[in-house]
Amino acid sequence: MDIATIVGVILGLIVIIGAIAVGAGAEMFFNLPSLAITIGGMLCATLIHFSLPQFLGIFSVIKKTIVTEIPSQSELIQKMVNYAAINRRDGALALEQEIGKIDDLFFIKGLQMLVDGQDHDDIRELMSLEVQYLQERHTSGKKILEFMGAAAPSFGMIGTLIGLIQMLSNLDDPSGLGAGMATALVTTFYGAFSANLIFIPLAGKLGIYSKAESTAMEMITEGVCAIARGENPSVVREKMQVFVSQGRREEVKANI
Amino acid sequence: MDIATIVGVILGLIVIIGAIAVGAGAEMFFNLPSLAITIGGMLCATLIHFSLPQFLGIFSVIKKTIVTEIPSQSELIQKMVNYAAINRRDGALALEQEIGKIDDLFFIKGLQMLVDGQDHDDIRELMSLEVQYLQERHTSGKKILEFMGAAAPSFGMIGTLIGLIQMLSNLDDPSGLGAGMATALVTTFYGAFSANLIFIPLAGKLGIYSKAESTAMEMITEGVCAIARGENPSVVREKMQVFVSQGRREEVKANI
Amino acid sequence: MDIATIVGVILGLIVIIGAIAVGAGAEMFFNLPSLAITIGGMLCATLIHFSLPQFLGIFSVIKKTIVTEIPSQSELIQKMVNYAAINRRDGALALEQEIGKIDDLFFIKGLQMLVDGQDHDDIRELMSLEVQYLQERHTSGKKILEFMGAAAPSFGMIGTLIGLIQMLSNLDDPSGLGAGMATALVTTFYGAFSANLIFIPLAGKLGIYSKAESTAMEMITEGVCAIARGENPSVVREKMQVFVSQGRREEVKANI
Amino acid sequence: MDIATIVGVILGLIVIIGAIAVGAGAEMFFNLPSLAITIGGMLCATLIHFSLPQFLGIFSVIKKTIVTEIPSQSELIQKMVNYAAINRRDGALALEQEIGKIDDLFFIKGLQMLVDGQDHDDIRELMSLEVQYLQERHTSGKKILEFMGAAAPSFGMIGTLIGLIQMLSNLDDPSGLGAGMATALVTTFYGAFSANLIFIPLAGKLGIYSKAESTAMEMITEGVCAIARGENPSVVREKMQVFVSQGRREEVKANI
Amino acid sequence: MDIATIVGVILGLIVIIGAIAVGAGAEMFFNLPSLAITIGGMLCATLIHFSLPQFLGIFSVIKKTIVTEIPSQSELIQKMVNYAAINRRDGALALEQEIGKIDDLFFIKGLQMLVDGQDHDDIRELMSLEVQYLQERHTSGKKILEFMGAAAPSFGMIGTLIGLIQMLSNLDDPSGLGAGMATALVTTFYGAFSANLIFIPLAGKLGIYSKAESTAMEMITEGVCAIARGENPSVVREKMQVFVSQGRREEVKANI
């Protein structure tokens, strides 16, 4: 569960809503027509830009990012070192039992190819293609959020322009000037706020999650190919630890 | 038929025109000279930037995007798996009959090369060149729309500057100040509105469509080359399913 | 002759000057000091940025773009298919006669290497180097225009700042406020107008022209290398038609 | 110890705080709610964008940049030239003693592979992978600071919008207009100031430090591989001096 | 000596200072505190961003760009054609005499490798590495100027914010409003002016100079490698002339 995202959203909402609440004119900030222009216009632009499946899929992508857990790097290395030991001691077929104990489809695919006795070049080729295309599919969700993060302020500005034109064309009553300008600015506020607290940072979180997932897949690929070449557990650990920052490398030994 | 685009445009127009209609000064928003400066200036800049054929071709490109359908990925895989089975059972020449049943020129080209008995390296080389140059030709339409999406707001701003200078040089009658400023802002509104609801999202839709089309072409290339190497239907399916997201892969078998 | 550019510039000037003429205060728009700051400052910055030869060369580059014609793609393919037929029928030396009939230096160079009997790998290497370096030299002209398109608005803004500071420091006579602000805004207008109607679109046109020229050179390279490999006319046509969009491919045969 | 960073921060704070102090209304600049919106909103957005470990790690990354020293290039070359001489005179095993005299983990790893008698291609492959992944891990810290440098001004602007809307909705007392606008502008000031004096330059310093560190690692890789190939000390010096600017190359000889 | 840069700076200063002098309120433009905030703040940010050696080195880099002359391309080709002729007539050792007649360290290095009888692949490898790393070192100076060109306007805007806040918090005397706003705008003026006339164009000039220098080095590399392969003078001229634009190629013959 990704605590950082949830805490960030809640704290951010508290800060902004708090600033609104303590000042005057708080009621100006809750304006349905302004919300319709800003968020409605943004959603329409997003619908035009992206395909319907991509658009509808955005919520499940965000949910997956907040809920799913990437296995820790040391956990992956420990598992792979064990498999290397099992492979050396009992042969590749013995790894068939281990397959049932993992959840990750990609890891299972790699082990299955080891059990089937495939050549390490073929394994690397197919697993790398898989990593490459996962990255392409993840990028789509990130792009939708980045587009929303640009479109929301743009439609906020369009709303402000509409408001200003309406207000300036009716300057008979100068006492309404302030309120008119305040209303006109609310759409720009909605746009800037939703973009900078929600859309842009969420796009970034999707990117971080995607990178962590493909690093894990690259580590699995390195490990499986090393086992396919018959390397011993410490070489397997070496090759996978290149991905781990210097200060966090541990002397991992097989514990089967 | 791409519903998302049409729905997005209609809903977006409803939201914006609704916001204009419910407020005061709606008549200010329908200003022919302002339209001439913003859209007219943008079209002139586009004519200077691009070649005449590209400029005139933009409407057919947009229409093609909204109307054409990319064959679904599962449909492609099913067809290719069938062809692999036919190839194994009856030989490549039997695929000649299948050519008449498809519409897609690229798919036909691939099958024809199989029937002609070409080597899988030659097939991959020519088909990949074809994909590469299709992508280059698609990009041109996208670039025109992106340019329009940048030029419209720029000319909107030029129109506003002209309006402000005209208004400020004639400040004798301060009661006309509001109306003068409102008129000056209308061109900026036209620019921002056309760019953010139409041009920029349509450019994005063109890009999405182009990507879907080249992914389909890459799948066809993988499939045809696999058949040329004599692979059996399940390997053909495996190679093509790399392009399909994990959750939507089906156990496709030949149904000839 | 590139009609699109000329029509675009003339129509654009009509629209903008029209908008100025029909409104009040048209005389404010013709301000020599403002022109000096905006265009003069931009030219000085361009002189600092680029080398003197590049700067002086910009006019001939623009002229070349508007005047020169890129041979049509079908014309190129027809010629190359004929040369392939001549080569097959009479041998490479027979192509020596054809050299005198073409203008294009690059095409002549390719034919000369065929007549000299050079190997197709050497031909591809030298012709590709030539294409690469032509692209680099073309980019220089485009970069100058893009820089002007960024510098003009910047100096326009500097001029407006100067005008505002001068006007605000002398607020004794409030009736001059409007005229003072109008004058201050004229430089920003000059900058935005020259950048968005002239410099930025012309830079784009240079890029389009440059791309068309290198596509033609790549087609010539493909064709000449195919002839050097002794391919027959229809293969030569195939290899060159990859560059032509699907809808415009013709069944070109030799007509010698 | 990186003096430049510390001096720059201190002088910058003096200049800005000085400008605030000498003018009127200095007390307006110390506004806790404004600080909460700008810095607080920015921190929340950063928490949503990045993972918790990355976010918490930013302080140690900054500290490491200011405190750590990259060994000078001439120091590295001198050491490597000596090792080349030792290798030639006494053989690779003699380098085992030198390992204890160095701190740098990467240099130690390289020497260890020499002592173990590994092939120069394997050494280059593993050391290059190491450099590549160090660069990827360094980039993360830089990206966090760059994001903060964009988010701070954005939240400053959101704060200003909130302040303006609150002020404009309460225009009953025109004497409070100035103070209200001043307060609204303070958040934009905080955002611009923190971004332009702290976050953006610090991100740049991280990049410079990272580049210096990987250049040092590339020099070590070149040197170690040269020794593994049995090259003599002057060739080792030549290969490493490619990284040193022409004017600062010295005639380094072994001094063992 | 690079006339263009010097003329551009002088003319630009004349235009801008002229515009200031002919208007009212010229004395407002000479404001030391404003200069301190804008230029001082920019220098502090630059000191934080870059390393101290890079920062101190910026003046010598700028001076080298304005003063140094890149040998003309035809001069380089003439020399290399002569050396090719000498090599063919008298052998590589005869080139030893020519080394004393050149200034350029890179050219000398190439000739020395010819005299030493090194293989053309080794020569190309070492010379290309040299070119690559020269480009990396040149980029540093350009990046500092580009950063200054972004930081100056940013600190100008910070200064304007400080001025506006100070002025708005003290609106008791409305007659000082104009002068207060004028003073606040002066820092933005300093920032925009220094960035657009000095820093950004100078960064561009550094880039142009750097490109000309590496093109010269690539020509020298091509020429030296051709001589090492024993090519005759006209082939050497051909290979070097790829870098020269079509219209300026001369029929260069050896004149030894």
Side-chain angles (χ1 to χ4, degrees), chain A residues 121-138:
Chain A
D121 277 325
D122 290 336
I123 295 183
R124 183 179 289 281
E125 194 198 327
L126 211 82
M127 290 184 92
S128 298
L129 256 174
E130 191 78 49
V131 176
Q132 187 184 320
Y133 284 102
L134 179 91
Q135 287 175 321
E136 281 190 35
R137 294 192 299 270
H138 267 183

Side-chain angles (χ1 to χ4, degrees), chain C residues 5-247:
Chain C
T5 309
I6 299 175
V7 169
V9 172
I10 292 177
L11 278 186
L13 287 171
I14 288 176
V15 170
I16 299 298
I17 293 178
I20 294 175
V22 299
E27 66 281 1
M28 302 232 62
F29 286 89
F30 302 100
N31 189 322
L32 218 62
S34 300
L35 204 68
I37 298 176
T38 313
I39 303 300
M42 174 205 82
L43 286 176
C44 292
T46 310
L47 208 55
I48 298 173
H49 186 304
F50 294 92
S51 73
L52 198 54
Q54 287 171 315
F55 181 76
L56 296 174
I58 193 63
F59 291 104
S60 73
V61 172
I62 297 176
K63 177 183 141 198
K64 190 168 88 142
T65 310
I66 301 180
V67 167
T68 316
E69 267 192 73
I70 310 275
S72 81
Q73 291 186 321
S74 33
E75 211 176 295
L76 275 175
I77 298 180
Q78 182 65 69
K79 280 203 177 122
M80 201 65 74
V81 159
N82 286 350
Y83 297 156
I86 295 176
N87 179 53
R88 285 218 136 199
R89 191 189 60 184
D90 304 328
L93 285 167
L95 290 172
E96 185 122 52
Q97 296 176 299
E98 303 296 325
I99 289 179
K101 303 182 192 168
I102 343 173
D103 288 324
D104 181 36
L105 292 169
F106 184 73
F107 208 158
I108 291 175
K109 187 163 190 163
L111 284 182
Q112 190 60 55
M113 285 194 278
L114 276 176
V115 166
D116 293 342
Q118 289 205 39
D119 178 60
H120 78 90
D121 276 325
D122 289 338
I123 296 182
R124 180 178 293 280
E125 195 198 326
L126 210 81
M127 290 183 93
S128 299
L129 256 175
E130 193 76 49
V131 176
Q132 188 185 318
Y133 283 102
L134 179 92
Q135 288 175 322
E136 281 192 35
R137 294 192 297 270
H138 268 182
T139 306
S140 161
K142 186 178 187 216
K143 282 183 179 169
I144 294 183
L145 284 171
E146 285 175 341
F147 178 77
M148 288 177 166
S154 299
F155 279 94
M157 197 192 80
I158 289 177
T160 295
L161 280 167
I162 293 177
L164 280 178
I165 293 173
Q166 292 176 331
M167 182 202 86
L168 288 167
S169 65
N170 249 358
L171 272 190
D172 308 324
D173 177 18
S175 63
L177 192 75
M181 276 210 69
T183 311
L185 285 177
V186 170
T187 52
T188 297
F189 166 74
Y190 283 154
F193 168 57
S194 57
N196 284 289
L197 191 67
I198 310 295
F199 301 132
I200 296 175
L202 262 188
K205 179 53 59 90
L206 258 181
I208 300 285
Y209 169 80
S210 174
K211 187 83 183 78
E213 198 177 17
S214 36
T215 301
M217 286 171 81
E218 281 172 41
M219 287 177 75
I220 293 173
T221 304
E222 277 305 319
V224 166
C225 291
I227 295 178
R229 280 205 304 270
E231 308 272 21
N232 66 51
S234 21
V235 174
V236 170
R237 180 197 70 219
E238 276 303 309
K239 287 196 175 278
M240 288 179 81
Q241 278 192 333
V242 159
F243 296 85
V244 182
S245 64
Q246 201 100 4

Side-chain angles (χ1 to χ4, degrees), chain D residues 45-117:
Chain D
T46 311
L47 207 54
I48 298 173
H49 187 303
F50 294 92
S51 73
L52 198 54
Q54 285 171 317
F55 181 76
L56 296 175
I58 193 63
F59 292 104
S60 73
V61 172
I62 297 174
K63 179 183 139 197
K64 192 169 85 141
T65 311
I66 302 179
V67 168
T68 315
E69 268 191 73
I70 310 278
S72 81
Q73 290 187 322
S74 35
E75 213 176 293
L76 276 175
I77 298 180
Q78 182 66 70
K79 282 204 178 118
M80 200 65 75
V81 159
N82 287 349
Y83 298 156
I86 293 175
N87 180 52
R88 284 218 137 200
R89 189 188 63 182
D90 305 326
L93 285 167
L95 290 171
E96 185 123 51
Q97 297 175 298
E98 303 298 323
I99 289 179
K101 303 181 193 169
I102 344 171
D103 288 325
D104 180 37
L105 292 169
F106 184 73
F107 209 158
I108 290 174
K109 187 163 189 163
L111 283 183
Q112 191 60 55
M113 285 193 278
L114 275 176
V115 167
D116 293 341

Side-chain angles (χ1 to χ4, degrees), chain B residues 86-88 90-97 111 114-117 227:
Chain B
I86 294 175
N87 179 53
R88 285 216 136 202
D90 304 327
L93 285 166
L95 290 172
E96 187 122 51
Q97 296 176 297
L111 284 183
L114 275 177
V115 167
D116 293 341
I227 295 178

Side-chain angles (χ1 to χ4, degrees), chain B residues 70-131:
Chain B
I70 310 276
S72 81
Q73 289 186 322
S74 35
E75 209 177 298
L76 275 175
I77 298 180
Q78 182 66 70
K79 283 204 176 118
M80 201 65 75
V81 159
N82 286 349
Y83 296 156
I86 294 175
N87 179 53
R88 285 216 136 202
R89 190 188 63 184
D90 304 327
L93 285 166
L95 290 172
E96 187 122 51
Q97 296 176 297
E98 303 297 323
I99 290 180
K101 304 181 193 167
I102 342 173
D103 288 323
D104 181 36
L105 291 168
F106 185 73
F107 208 157
I108 290 175
K109 187 163 190 163
L111 284 183
Q112 190 60 55
M113 284 195 279
L114 275 177
V115 167
D116 293 341
Q118 289 205 39
D119 178 60
H120 77 90
D121 276 325
D122 290 337
I123 296 182
R124 183 178 290 281
E125 195 199 327
L126 210 81
M127 291 185 92
S128 299
L129 256 174
E130 192 76 49
V131 176

